[in-house]
């Protein structure tokens, strides 16, 4: 037997309703926040992620699924949705539409990581990306959209926010970081040592225990923000507070991708183990320009659907009922089975879910089967029913039976 690749998951027929629930909720929230769906390809040219996500990130350095296609081009399966969204924005000239351009997506993403609970090699994200506004109100709106989505699903998380400043304040902060890290460098991992020269901020993202201890004493970016960044951050905080959204400031959030500036945030939970971040995002005012577009500020987030489902299951969140047939129609012989087929087809064409026997079962076995399927009503067509054009419909919840004409079954079910 050939097994599923490591780090990937099947969604089974009795589990897919949970996915649909999360995805439908995402779409509802997107509608309420006036976001329009975008879809980008599963693969892009590798350069998009190298330039967009950043050469010093783990995602680009270690985790991308990259291969050469038959034409000799370097192709990468998307490790996230933001770089592709920015490419779509530039390539399709969306900068000339009324701003902001508010988008969302539901997409698979691929990262070659060590699989564990909540960490897969193929996973799925619901993300939103808003292009063309530098106002702090937009940051607050995007954070509220994430919060509304998580609330609707009934999951409890904590919101942590930070500002990692702009080019100007980052330069000052990088200097301070280098001064701090210099005497510790010999005790830090190799990756951190290479990041010291290229991107010291990224050293704060290191997961090595030794480096984490040293990181704890590093200076906080929030002490180095320039006037504009600091005002922007104050604006975001005051809007969140005014709307009663609780948050803590965590100066250690730097995010794992290089395109961020100013506001960054994460919704975290301690109910799903080490991979506790269910949703992460932030502002990325330089990305569009860096990818060859105009100077267009932007902000967004992505929530991992598998992590959300894990959190919902671990905390007993409610899912809607799995879809069950409204009615099961049993037949006994060739003629009555043909009638059951005819009635079921007519109901199905009206959008009412109906089921029949496919395996030549006895009536008794069909009743059992209908019960297993969770059918709400069962009708058995025998010779008398066929002659009278009428059938007893049994309500499987309370056991009551009602005689209904064949051509009135739809009306009857719609009335219930
Ligand atoms: P990210 O933090 O890399 O950000 O991923 C966002 C979310 O995707 C995580 O919080 C997590 O729930 C989920 N996720 C990430 N990696 C895995 C994995 N290996 N297995 C399962 N779930 C995973 C981004 O991707 C940014 N593009 C978010 C963003 C949008 N920022 C601005 N706009």
């Amino acid at each position: 037997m050939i097994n599923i690749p490591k780090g990937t998951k099947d969604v089974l027929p009795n589990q897919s309703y949970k996915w649909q629930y999360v995805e439908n909720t995402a779409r509802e929230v997107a509608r309420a926040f006036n976001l329009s769906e975008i879809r980008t390809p599963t693969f892009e040219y590798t350069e998009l992620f190298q330039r967009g996500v950043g050469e010093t990130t783990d995602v680009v350095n270690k985790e991308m699924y990259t291969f050469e296609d038959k034409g000799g081009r370097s192709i990468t399966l998307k490790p996230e949705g933001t770089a592709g969204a920015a490419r779509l924005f530039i390539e399709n000239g969306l900068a000339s539409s009324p701003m902001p351009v508010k988008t969302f997506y539901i997409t698979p993403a691929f990262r070659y990581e060590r699989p564990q609970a909540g960490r897969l090699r193929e996973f799925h994200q619901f993300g939103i990306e808003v292009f063309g506004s530098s106002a702090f109100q937009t940051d607050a709106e995007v954070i509220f959209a994430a919060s509304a989505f998580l609330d609707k699903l009934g999951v409890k998380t904590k919101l942590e926010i930070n500002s990692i400043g702009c080019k100007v304040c980052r330069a000052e902060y990088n200097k301070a970081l280098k001064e701090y890290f210099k005497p510790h460098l010999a005790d830090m991992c190799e990756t951190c040592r290479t990041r010291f020269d290229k991107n010291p901020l990224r050293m704060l993202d290191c997961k090595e225990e030794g480096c984490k201890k040293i990181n704890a004493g590093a200076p906080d970016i929030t002490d180095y923000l320039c006037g504009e960044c600091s005002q922007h951050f104050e604006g975001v905080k005051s809007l969140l507070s005014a709307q009663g959204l609780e948050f803590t400031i965590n100066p250690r959030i730097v995010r794992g991708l290089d395109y961020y500036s100013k506001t960054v945030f994460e919704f975290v939970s301690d109910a799903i183990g080490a991979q506790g971040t269910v949703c992460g995002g932030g502002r990325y005012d330089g990305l569009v320009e860096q990818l060859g577009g105009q100077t267009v500020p932007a902000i967004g987030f992505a929530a991992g659907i598998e992590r959300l489902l894990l959190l919902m299951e671990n905390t007993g969140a409610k899912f809607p009922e799995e879809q069950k047939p409204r009615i099961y129609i049993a037949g006994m012989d060739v003629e009555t089975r043909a009638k059951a087929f005819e009635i079921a087809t007519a109901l199905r064409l009206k959008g009412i879910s109906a089921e029949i026997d496919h395996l030549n079962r006895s009536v008794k076995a069909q009743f059992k089967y209908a019960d297993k399927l969770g059918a709400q009503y069962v009708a058995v067509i025998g010779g008398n029913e066929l002659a009278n054009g009428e059938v007893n419909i049994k309500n499987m919840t309370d056991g009551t039976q009602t005689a209904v004409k064949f051509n009135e079954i739809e009306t009857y079910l719609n009335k219930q």
Side-chain angles (χ1 to χ4, degrees):
M1 196 191 71
I2 299 166
N3 293 323
I4 192 169
K6 195 173 166 187
T8 64
K9 270 196 174 154
D10 292 319
V11 179
L12 300 179
N14 64 355
Q15 294 297 312
S16 48
Y17 74 99
K18 296 182 181 174
W19 281 78
Q20 287 163 7
Y21 174 56
V22 172
E23 289 166 4
N24 291 343
T25 307
R27 288 176 192 284
E28 265 173 44
V29 170
R31 206 172 304 125
F33 282 80
N34 194 31
L35 299 149
S36 304
E37 183 170 3
I38 53 168
R39 299 186 190 202
T40 65
T42 304
F43 58 85
E44 300 268 3
Y45 291 127
T46 303
E47 200 191 341
L48 175 71
F49 303 114
Q50 286 169 336
R51 271 171 55 189
V53 174
E55 302 266 26
T56 58
T57 60
D58 280 349
V59 170
V60 168
N61 265 332
K62 307 180 186 164
E63 298 169 0
M64 293 207 300
Y65 277 90
T66 298
F67 58 95
E68 216 171 77
D69 72 5
K70 288 191 168 47
R73 287 165 288 253
S74 182
I75 295 288
T76 293
L77 301 185
K78 56 167 123 169
E80 56 101 53
T82 310
R87 185 209 37 77
L88 171 148
F89 178 87
I90 300 165
E91 191 164 349
N92 295 283
L94 298 190
S96 59
S97 26
M99 293 291 167
V101 173
K102 299 172 63 175
T103 70
F104 83 95
Y105 51 83
I106 296 174
T107 184
F110 306 86
R111 296 183 192 175
Y112 193 79
E113 296 197 77
R114 202 164 36 78
Q116 63 180 84
R119 190 162 74 191
L120 293 135
R121 290 183 175 171
E122 182 186 24
F123 58 99
H124 297 78
Q125 291 185 335
F126 162 50
I128 83 173
E129 313 292 355
V130 176
F131 296 94
S133 161
S134 56
F136 66 80
Q137 285 87 347
T138 312
D139 304 41
E141 180 173 311
V142 166
I143 295 173
F144 268 107
S147 160
F149 172 58
L150 298 170
D151 275 357
K152 260 189 184 260
L153 293 175
V155 296
K156 295 253 172 310
T157 53
K158 279 202 246 156
L159 168 61
E160 299 188 346
I161 64 170
N162 190 22
S163 172
I164 57 167
C166 61
K167 271 191 209 143
V168 180
C169 31
R170 190 88 55 78
E172 283 305 303
Y173 182 56
N174 278 345
K175 248 194 247 164
L177 274 182
K178 279 185 152 182
E179 252 165 55
Y180 170 77
F181 281 128
K182 204 165 188 179
H184 298 288
L185 262 189
D187 302 320
M188 300 189 82
C189 73
E190 209 185 307
T191 314
C192 278
R193 287 204 293 271
T194 55
R195 285 171 172 174
F196 180 81
D197 288 318
K198 288 190 187 154
N199 189 359
L201 185 75
R202 185 121 319 288
M203 294 167 80
L204 295 174
D205 201 31
C206 187
K207 307 287 180 298
E208 297 275 332
E209 280 311 316
C211 301
K212 267 168 60 180
K213 274 198 194 119
I214 296 169
N215 285 343
D220 287 348
I221 176 87
T222 31
D223 294 332
Y224 290 80
L225 295 181
C226 66
E228 194 204 316
C229 287
S230 159
Q231 253 181 9
H232 185 94
F233 196 37
E234 287 308 313
V236 177
K237 289 190 285 186
S238 68
L239 256 189
L240 297 182
S241 299
Q243 295 295 316
L245 191 59
E246 279 179 31
F247 60 86
T248 53
I249 296 164
N250 179 353
R252 283 292 173 273
I253 296 183
V254 294
R255 310 277 302 127
L257 314 154
D258 277 349
Y259 43 63
Y260 291 110
S261 55
K262 292 187 177 164
T263 317
V264 288
F265 58 93
E266 292 184 347
F267 287 82
V268 293
S269 161
D270 48 20
I272 48 171
Q275 304 302 317
T277 309
V278 285
C279 174
R283 188 163 267 292
Y284 50 96
D285 290 348
L287 180 63
V288 172
E289 193 177 358
Q290 201 177 315
L291 293 176
Q294 299 168 11
T295 313
V296 177
I299 176 161
F301 72 76
I305 299 183
E306 284 84 355
R307 272 188 210 175
L308 265 173
L309 286 169
L310 190 66
L311 179 57
M312 291 173 76
E313 266 150 22
N314 286 2
T315 55
K318 278 212 184 91
F319 289 98
E321 284 249 319
E322 196 179 346
Q323 197 212 329
K324 307 221 158 103
R326 193 105 167 93
I327 186 163
Y328 182 95
I329 305 164
M332 295 178 172
D333 53 22
V334 175
E335 284 81 31
T336 51
R337 282 172 183 275
K339 194 69 194 172
F341 186 93
E342 180 193 314
I343 295 173
T345 306
L347 290 173
R348 287 164 172 172
L349 292 178
K350 298 278 184 189
I352 295 173
S353 91
E355 193 49 289
I356 52 174
D357 178 40
H358 295 248
L359 299 182
N360 238 339
R361 292 176 173 90
S362 68
V363 170
K364 197 172 154 206
Q366 286 191 62
F367 251 103
K368 258 199 190 159
Y369 174 55
D371 204 38
K372 267 206 190 126
L373 292 178
Q376 294 167 318
Y377 294 88
V378 175
V380 182
I381 302 177
N384 286 343
E385 284 77 11
L386 203 56
N388 299 336
E390 189 176 276
V391 66
N392 271 341
I393 295 184
K394 182 172 178 185
N395 179 330
M396 297 297 275
T397 318
D398 60 19
T400 54
Q401 302 217 22
T402 314
V404 182
K405 294 248 176 298
F406 285 164
N407 59 5
E408 286 169 7
I409 297 178
E410 183 202 344
T411 322
Y412 172 77
L413 290 175
N414 281 336
K415 267 200 229 141
Q416 301 306 302

